[in-house]
């Protein structure tokens, strides 16, 4: 893809997703996440009715009269977008590839954060950390994020969600809003998720293709595992093969839901033939 083609695609995504963030998600995002954190502002003399748990004992001892700490809402939040770019994201049988929908979702979230003057960062991961862009503010920063989502070519094809979570835990020193966007095709990340969920406001967004959930009778089909490169013919007219395929999807999906719930984190699941707008709005409203 040439630079001109990339810029054209970035602009197209900006027009679509910025309109969504301005008119739909901006207010919902703001009410869902603003005011979640409190930061120390100042101390003042204690007055009757103040919460004794807020007494600053060091200042009280120094001046020999009680002082309390005053807190205020944190006006600036940090959003981190952790995006799975492994081989399986290049799959799609309906209107778009999983990676194309993921790009739109991430762009919409990024513009929503910018609209509220929050910082936003990006982590692209496969079975390794591929690219990390530290959180910053501004439209040009968001456009860089979109450009990387469109043009970045992963060095690895497999997925390691746990490794990505460990990286985020190590680089994000203060509490952040983390959206992890993936098809969550791997497992063994539940324990790491619990640790990250205690420190940060974490939401999983699962994007999948309808054919992954329910295999159709398409006869003899040549299939390829996009993360391992293995290929083979499958007789999809065989009900047992379809049941096995569908059961494997449900097992991974159940693991995803339970893992995030046990970590006290939110979940969104959306198929590529569904409206991610409706799913995300429902999620934001449910948080309020």
């Amino acid at each position: 893809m040439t630079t001109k083609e990339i810029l054209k695609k970035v602009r197209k995504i900006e027009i679509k997703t910025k309109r969504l963030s301005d008119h739909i998600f901006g207010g919902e995002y703001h009410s869902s996440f603003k005011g979640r954190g409190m930061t120390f502002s100042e101390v003042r003399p204690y007055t009757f009715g103040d919460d004794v748990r807020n007494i600053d004992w060091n200042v009280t001892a120094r001046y020999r009269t009680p002082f309390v700490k005053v807190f205020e809402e944190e006006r600036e939040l940090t959003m981190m977008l952790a995006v799975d770019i492994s081989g399986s994201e290049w799959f799609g049988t309906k209107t778009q590839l999983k990676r194309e929908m993921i790009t739109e979702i991430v762009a919409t979230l990024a513009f929503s954060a910018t609209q509220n003057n929050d910082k936003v960062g990006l982590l692209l991961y496969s079975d390794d950390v591929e690219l990390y862009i530290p959180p910053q503010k501004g439209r040009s920063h968001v456009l860089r994020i979109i450009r990387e989502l469109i043009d970045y070519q992963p060095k690895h094809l497999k997925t390691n969600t746990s490794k990505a979570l460990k990286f985020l835990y190590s680089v994000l020193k203060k509490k952040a809003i983390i959206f992890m966007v993936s098809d969550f095709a791997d497992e063994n990340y539940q324990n790491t998720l619990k640790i990250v969920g205690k420190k940060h406001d974490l939401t999983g967004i699962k994007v999948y293709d309808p054919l992954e959930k329910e295999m159709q009778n398409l006869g003899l089909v040549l299939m390829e595992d996009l993360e391992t490169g293995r290929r083979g013919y499958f007789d999809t007219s065989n009900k047992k093969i379809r049941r096995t395929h569908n059961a494997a999807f449900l097992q991974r999906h159940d693991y995803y839901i339970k893992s995030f719930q046990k970590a006290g984190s939110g979940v969104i699941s959306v198929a590529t033939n569904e409206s991610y707008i409706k799913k995300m709005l429902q999620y934001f409203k449910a948080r309020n």
Side-chain angles (χ1 to χ4, degrees):
M1 193 181 297
T2 66
T3 302
K4 187 176 180 179
E5 289 172 332
I6 292 169
L7 293 174
K8 186 178 179 181
K9 200 165 185 179
V10 168
R11 180 59 179 158
K12 185 178 179 181
I13 290 174
E14 180 191 16
I15 291 170
K16 179 178 181 179
T17 58
K18 193 173 187 303
R19 185 174 67 249
L20 290 173
S21 66
D22 287 346
H23 299 293
I24 301 176
F25 290 114
E28 296 297 339
Y29 162 80
H30 180 89
S31 58
S32 296
F33 296 102
K34 282 294 182 183
R36 292 284 170 173
M38 302 295 288
T39 183
F40 172 73
S41 175
E42 59 182 354
V43 294
R44 62 165 173 76
Y46 174 87
T47 57
F48 179 76
D50 284 338
D51 190 338
V52 294
R53 292 174 297 182
N54 291 334
I55 292 176
D56 188 321
W57 294 106
N58 290 329
V59 177
T60 296
R62 190 179 307 132
Y63 291 97
R64 297 186 179 182
T65 185
F67 278 79
V68 293
K69 296 177 182 178
V70 178
F71 296 87
E72 63 181 16
E73 285 187 359
E74 290 182 352
R75 298 299 175 185
E76 179 183 288
L77 299 175
T78 297
M79 178 190 287
M80 178 54 62
L81 301 163
V83 183
D84 176 4
I85 57 169
S86 61
S88 60
E89 307 306 339
W90 290 98
F91 181 71
T93 62
K94 296 296 180 181
T95 55
Q96 59 186 168
L97 301 176
K98 287 187 283 184
R99 184 163 178 176
E100 291 171 338
M101 177 175 274
I102 286 172
T103 298
E104 288 189 16
I105 291 171
V106 171
T108 303
L109 289 168
F111 278 120
S112 296
T114 298
Q115 184 182 344
N116 287 283
N117 200 36
D118 293 333
K119 294 178 180 178
V120 59
L122 177 70
L123 170 67
L124 300 181
Y125 71 94
S126 54
D127 61 354
D128 201 359
V129 173
E130 298 262 356
L131 177 69
Y132 174 65
I133 301 177
Q136 291 183 34
K137 296 181 181 181
R139 174 178 173 270
S140 60
H141 181 67
V142 172
L143 293 180
R144 184 198 168 188
I145 286 174
I146 297 172
R147 188 171 66 248
E148 294 292 356
L149 285 165
I150 292 170
D151 192 47
Y152 188 88
Q153 298 301 313
K155 299 178 180 65
H156 304 269
L157 295 175
K158 295 182 180 180
T159 312
N160 190 326
T161 303
S162 181
K163 194 169 186 176
L165 286 165
K166 288 176 182 177
F167 177 82
L168 289 175
Y169 190 82
S170 67
V171 296
L172 297 175
K173 304 303 179 185
K174 294 183 179 180
K175 184 177 181 179
I177 299 165
I178 301 175
F179 287 96
M180 186 159 245
V181 194
S182 170
D183 58 6
F184 293 96
D186 71 328
E187 295 183 350
N188 302 317
Y189 53 80
Q190 190 174 97
N191 292 335
T192 314
L193 198 63
K194 285 181 183 178
I195 296 170
V196 177
K198 286 180 181 178
K199 182 179 178 182
H200 301 289
D201 193 329
L202 181 62
T203 298
I205 302 179
K206 178 173 181 171
V207 177
Y208 65 91
D209 187 272
L211 198 64
E212 292 177 309
K213 182 178 181 181
E214 188 172 356
M215 181 180 283
Q216 302 297 310
N217 182 352
L218 303 172
L220 192 64
V221 178
L222 176 62
M223 295 186 180
E224 179 181 353
D225 186 323
L226 294 173
E227 297 205 1
T228 64
R230 291 198 299 267
R231 305 176 77 186
Y233 284 95
F234 291 84
D235 183 6
T236 60
S237 65
N238 186 312
K239 289 183 179 180
K240 185 177 179 181
I241 289 177
R242 294 205 303 272
R243 280 198 299 267
T244 301
H245 171 90
N246 298 344
F249 174 89
L250 289 174
Q251 181 181 331
R252 290 193 300 270
H253 186 72
D254 187 58
Y255 180 84
Y256 156 70
I257 297 292
K258 288 182 178 177
S259 295
F260 273 82
Q261 287 178 342
K262 286 180 180 179
S265 303
V267 289
I268 301 172
S269 297
V270 58
T272 53
N273 63 343
E274 293 180 323
S275 168
Y276 66 83
I277 301 166
K278 289 181 181 178
K279 291 292 186 80
M280 291 170 69
L281 277 175
Q282 287 170 1
Y283 175 72
F284 286 150
K285 287 177 180 177
R287 284 180 60 108
N288 292 334

